[in-house]
Amino acid sequence: MKIEADRDICIGAGMCVMNAEEVFDQGDDGIVVVLEADVPPEHADAAARAVAGCPSGALRRIED
């Protein structure tokens, strides 16, 4: 699975980091930063929860 983030849509809620801190972080401006665009299998469930829980819809899951 791959993850993409639209930083223009992100509102900085931080739900992604709370769900998958191994995959996401927030920059100094509070906007999402994707740490692992190619999500390792052990973090796939957490990343999927982060995508589903993103309040702005800034995250997108891409299946391999």
Side-chain angles (χ1 to χ4, degrees):
M1 162 169 69
K2 294 184 182 200
I3 296 289
E4 288 183 349
D6 186 333
R7 292 179 47 87
D8 292 329
I9 295 174
C10 178
I11 61 171
M15 297 300 296
C16 54
V17 178
M18 286 191 267
N19 280 289
E21 65 183 16
E22 304 85 6
V23 180
F24 302 100
D25 198 358
Q26 289 177 284
D28 291 338
D29 55 1
I31 302 301
V32 64
V33 174
V34 178
L35 301 174
E36 298 248 15
D38 292 313
V39 179
E42 63 269 20
H43 300 302
D45 287 342
R49 281 192 305 275
V51 171
C54 179
S56 67
L59 303 177
R60 190 172 84 140
R61 176 179 173 170
I62 303 167
E63 294 297 332
D64 293 329

